[in-house]
Amino acid sequence: MAIRRTWWKEAVGYQIYPASFMDTNNDGIGDLNGIRSKLDYLKSLGIGFIWITPIYESPNVDNGYDISDYQKILGTFGTMEEFDLLLKEAHEQGLKIIMDLVINHTSNQHSWFVESRSSLKDDYRDYYIWADGTMDGPPNDWVSIFGGSAWEYDERTNQYYLHVFAKEQPDLNWENPRVKRDLFQMIDWWLDKGIDGFQVDAISHIKKAPLETTSTKDPFEAFKNVPGIETHLNDLRDIFKKRDILTVGEANGVSAAEAYQWVGETTGYFNMLFEFDHISLWNKDEQETVDVIQFKKALTAWQEALADGRGWNALYMENHDIPRSVSSFGSEEKVFWQASAKALALTFLLLQGTPFIYQGQEIGMTNLPFTSINEIDAVDTKNFYYEMIHSGVDPKNALNLIRKTARDNARTPMQWTAEEYAGFSKRKPWMRINPNKQEINVLHELNDPTSVLNFYKAVIQLRKENEALIYGRYQLYLPDHPQLFVYSRRLADERFVVISNLSKEFASADLPENVQIEEWDLQLSNLNDHTIHQHTIFAPYEARVYKHK
Ligand code: NOJ
């Protein structure tokens, strides 16, 4: 099947977590004018669109993912006029903007929920999922993704409501047609403004199993990609398909085998999905390194499932929910930091799909060495920490675990300069700045031709200039090699091969016959130039991309 060409397949995306991107009014929290002030920087990266995480009115229990008014901008971020200006100026620069669409749940401060909880007979009662308790307390044994029961008792009406995430994030009842109608109207309102698409949050959770269903080995199965969800998703798709927009669904629980149904080129619900298979490999307890073979396997399953025009992938190594990729999958050690950040960049940016770079990833930002739980903001991390303490885990060990896994690792302010507040703000930011801002910052890296930042730009440029790196077929080589990730991209006569050593040790491999070197030109490397031979040696975290002559 010929692959349909579209802007969202060719563009590279950049995710902005606005609270930590750039603060212009010096309240220590990033804002919309901060994003506007960095449009030139964003453009210079070579990206085509930005995704802004929630900026709507919110009590910020879950940093904006608890929305109390979908059509208002949170005061700390700015005003609707400032948003309109940002959209206009971004468009003038040729940058598109996609927004976060959080429609599995609202805040408990949303007027729908305030009404809903007021009485059993309220007109909005069925906007949420209410149920009577049992002898054991909650209606069933379901647990929240953020820890504890998924049910919260509300004494006003003597019933429980369901919350897949925090108790301040009640789940909307998608079985109620009025809920869909109101959500779809809101979606149209934003699209009418001229935004270019949505990241659709937690969308695999909108359908719930019957409440009699008890938890299984997977504690979230009763509300993760539950059969029947397709009806709701088809309705949502009908809203989206009227426009030329980018839609990416956050799809916890959707497997590569189901990918086609979700993002098939003509009938899929979304253009692409954020799958969870490859990141779940490194978000594990105290694990030191990631299994390269499993990593390749997880990514390859998605690459193959959507190959040959069947569908499209979303590619990511970082976002605001996971630790920094250099810290988890590369190395923070001085000797390896730069090479590992570049090797990860090359590996992920040249796969088939639309790459999303998370702010700071392009300069190789690392995890924060948290010294106390008081430095943590994220609601889930605090819950898990106190659960560990209550179950007798030593506080030091609990903190060590948090350090590795906390999503706040990715939420520290963007490091623009080496100044006291990293050029992010003129006063102490809402979140601690990583002490390594001295060495890792945009200003420094702009001036260093060998920096991670300049490498990102070079790879983005290479992708842009070569259709095979966008539309070409992916093929994996050496699937069982424990250190090397080797793949090719091929479109008609154009062929590339990407080779990265994702380990701290030297690696050697007999490259496949059709990757023999005489016929290949090195395009980019994160070390000095090399010539590949049949028996090739790769330095720790060495990465290269070749083009067939
Ligand atoms: C996924 C978002 O990325 C995360 O930050 C949020 O906490 C949950 N969805 C709930 O909305």
Side-chain angles (χ1 to χ4, degrees), residues 4-37:
R4 188 170 66 94
R5 273 129 164 92
T6 62
W7 68 267
W8 46 261
K9 290 178 181 167
E10 295 175 10
V12 171
Y14 186 93
Q15 184 193 345
I16 293 183
Y17 196 69
S20 298
F21 188 63
M22 180 66 202
D23 175 22
T24 50
N25 63 353
N26 294 309
D27 60 357
I29 305 169
D31 43 51
L32 293 175
N33 286 336
I35 303 177
R36 267 180 60 217
S37 73

Side-chain angles (χ1 to χ4, degrees), residues 62 65 102 105 146 165 169 199 201-202 250 320-321 407 411:
D62 184 22
Y65 281 93
V102 188
H105 48 268
F146 283 178
F165 296 96
Q169 293 168 297
Q199 191 282 143
D201 177 75
E250 191 202 25
H320 61 291
D321 287 335
R407 39 189 197 161
R411 299 179 178 186

Side-chain angles (χ1 to χ4, degrees), residues 224-239:
K224 213 165 57 176
N225 196 12
V226 169
I229 194 170
E230 53 288 349
T231 311
H232 300 322
L233 294 174
N234 275 323
D235 292 345
L236 189 55
R237 177 176 168 270
D238 287 344
I239 302 293

Side-chain angles (χ1 to χ4, degrees), residues 79-94:
T79 62
M80 194 57 86
E81 289 67 41
E82 286 165 355
F83 175 79
D84 292 340
L85 200 56
L86 169 63
L87 185 63
K88 181 171 157 279
E89 290 183 6
H91 283 168
E92 282 165 6
Q93 293 253 31

Side-chain angles (χ1 to χ4, degrees), residues 484-486 497-501 511 532 538 542-544 546:
L484 294 179
F485 195 159
V486 184
V497 60
V498 179
I499 309 170
S500 336
N501 177 3
L511 291 172
I532 299 194
F538 296 87
E542 181 175 353
R544 318 168 194 166
Y546 290 89

Side-chain angles (χ1 to χ4, degrees), residues 17 35 43 98 205 349 354 435 443 474 537:
Y17 196 69
I35 303 177
K43 182 77 188 168
I98 69 166
H205 301 303
L349 284 167
T354 300
L443 186 63
Y474 163 95
I537 306 293

